[in-house]
């Protein structure tokens, strides 16, 4: 592979709730994921992140593994409730101390921290007070949390991601009730999404006004998107695929680059889609210094003309498909991961090119890409050939996309460690490092060594 230049940013990613554990240690408050996963019936096998990988106590060992891996960058998230146990108000110094130790150790090892402020672990207090992302007050509370983090860590952290995957927060949390706060609705996702965008914009404004000049860092948002391929070249199916991308990625990227939602959404969602004031549009437009992208899979799209009743949403990841009039399919010929997600490297290539066509030659960073495959440890070794194949395939697709003009500047494999896979608990394994959840012993997998050699 020839197009990844010398300055290409190679990294791996994690998130706080999925690895840290120590859920009530040193003054940490309760997040919606603490409450949700500790309520029986919500997570597979009633598992929770109370201990997870115990990264809170094992971060030194983990950073050594990162160092041996040779990555330039490590993306992790800050647990809001470690810093502000009630989501606002008084700062918990022990939470600040924990992330200071991580940041300092990373820098000592020559690894650049990429910090996500919100990876889904909303303070329970804010959920109770005004229904979390449904309340407008979240904008100022998130901005305050962000400000505290810039102030505490911004002298050393130069790469900030405000939100991880607002689409997942809105759809899975406020539409399909798969994630907390477990609401089922066809309008709440749009209201939550609206506040997510405005909170992002507010945090960015604070960073730019108070910190960016002195600290010299970058700030952006990370969105997730699958590729949507038309089932055939009929114009209605091509348009349906385009529309599906607008409802997925355009929902959150158009406001950030153009100052408003895609026209297809405004037309179709009607009153359920809130509108931005002129001032909000101005604030949103240009509010990301880079294009953070999490990409996992691809689906086929067919226009829904309502003439036949068909099975919708094979994996439930189409958003609100009745608003889009799309029917999603998978191709049975595509290989699948243990999550059931199709492995389609060319979808990644097409998506990168689509982004640079729609939004201009923005700097794209893939802040997550990876797959779930099982791997046991035998004689101290862990083999995960499926993951090595996956990474090879997707990196080849990235390389091709760059060759065709895509402005891809970095890649973070998801994930560094096997971890708590949200509503699926520990049943799915995304890590390039195996974690034995009984003993908490870490064993690098074959994919870890493969990636180490690849990025050398
Ligand atoms: C992302 N979908 O979640 C998250 O950022 C990670 O925390 C997570 O572990 C990883 O991907 C694997 O799931 C997603 O339904 C969850 O399209 C669901 C979807 C996409 C991403």
């Amino acid at each position: 592979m020839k197009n990844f230049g010398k300055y290409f940013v190679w990294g791996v990613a994690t998130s706080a709730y999925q690895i840290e554990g120590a859920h009530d240690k040193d003054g940490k408050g309760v997040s919606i994921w603490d409450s949700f996963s500790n309520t029986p019936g919500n997570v597979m096998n009633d598992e929770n992140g109370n201990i997870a990988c115990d990264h809170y106590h094992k971060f030194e060992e983990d950073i050594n593994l990162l160092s041996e891996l040779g990555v330039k960058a490590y993306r992790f998230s800050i647990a809001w409730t470690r810093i502000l146990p009630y989501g606002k108000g008084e700062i918990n110094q022990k939470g600040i101390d924990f992330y200071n130790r991580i940041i300092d150790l990373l820098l000592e090892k020559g690894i650049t921290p990429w910090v996500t402020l919100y990876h889904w672990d909303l303070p329970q207090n804010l959920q109770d007070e005004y229904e979390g992302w449904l309340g407008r007050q979240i904008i100022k509370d998130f901005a305050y949390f962000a400000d505290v983090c810039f102030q505490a860590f911004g002298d050393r952290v130069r790469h900030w991601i405000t939100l991880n995957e607002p689409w997942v927060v809105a759809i899975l949390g406020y539409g399909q009730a798969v994630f907390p706060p477990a609401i089922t609705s066809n309008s709440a996702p749009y209201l939550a999404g609206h506040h997510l965008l405005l909170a992002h914009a507010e945090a960015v404004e604070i960073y730019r006004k108070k910190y960016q000049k002195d600290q010299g860092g970058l700030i952006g948002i990370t969105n997730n998107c699958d590729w949507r391929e038309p089932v055939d070249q009929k114009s209605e199916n091509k348009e349906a695929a385009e529309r599906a991308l607008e409802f997925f990625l355009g929902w959150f990227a158009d406001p950030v680059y153009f100052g408003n939602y895609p026209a297809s959404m405004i037309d179709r969602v009607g009153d359920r889609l809130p509108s931005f004031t002129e001032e909000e549009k101005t604030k949103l437009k240009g509010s990301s210094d880079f294009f953070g992208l999490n990409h996992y899979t691809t689906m086929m799209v067919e226009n829904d003309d309502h003439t036949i009743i068909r099975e919708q949403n094979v994996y439930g990841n189409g958003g609100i498909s009745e608003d889009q009039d799309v029917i999603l399919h998978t191709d049975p010929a595509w290989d699948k991961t243990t999550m059931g997600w199709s492995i389609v490297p060319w979808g990644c290539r097409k998506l990168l090119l689509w982004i640079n066509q729609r939004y201009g030659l923005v700097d794209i960073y893939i802040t997550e890409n990876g797959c779930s495959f099982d791997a046991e440890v035998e004689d101290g070794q862990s083999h995960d050939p499926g993951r090595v194949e996956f990474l090879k395939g997707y990196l080849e697709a990235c390389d091709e996309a760059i060759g065709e003009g895509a402005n891809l500047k970095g890649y973070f494999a998801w994930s560094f460690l096997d971890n708590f896979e949200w509503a699926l608990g520990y049943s799915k394994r995304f890590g390039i490092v195996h974690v034995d959840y009984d003993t908490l012993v870490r064993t690098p997998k074959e994919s870890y060594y493969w990636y180490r050699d690849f990025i050398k």
Side-chain angles (χ1 to χ4, degrees), residues 16 79 87 162 311 396:
T162 53
E311 202 185 323
E396 219 162 273

Side-chain angles (χ1 to χ4, degrees), residues 30-91:
V30 177
S31 81
I32 57 172
W33 269 99
D34 289 311
S35 324
F36 183 78
S37 65
N38 282 284
T39 306
N42 288 332
V43 173
M44 197 179 284
N45 304 318
D46 286 336
E47 286 165 337
N48 57 57
N50 294 2
I51 299 172
C53 306
D54 203 22
H55 175 73
Y56 191 80
H57 297 107
K58 290 179 167 278
F59 70 91
E60 288 173 338
E61 180 183 344
D62 291 337
I63 292 175
N64 280 334
L65 280 169
L66 284 173
S67 175
E68 282 159 30
L69 179 59
V71 283
K72 287 186 199 163
Y74 172 51
R75 173 180 177 232
F76 62 97
S77 80
I78 293 182
W80 191 335
T81 53
R82 280 197 201 286
I83 306 291
L84 303 167
Y86 296 97
K88 52 186 175 178
E90 219 161 296
I91 296 169

Side-chain angles (χ1 to χ4, degrees), residues 15 18 75 119-120 164-165 167-168 172 179 224 226 248 294 296 315-317 339 341 368 414 419-422 430:
S15 89
Q18 295 180 273
R75 173 180 177 232
H119 203 123
W120 310 350
N164 180 67
E165 305 188 346
W167 181 94
V168 167
L172 302 191
F179 289 177
N224 61 303
D226 303 346
F248 204 153
N294 293 352
Y296 285 95
Y315 295 116
N317 57 357
M339 288 273 278
W341 293 356
E368 288 179 24
W414 183 272
N419 60 53
F420 178 77
E421 180 50 36
W422 307 112
F430 275 89

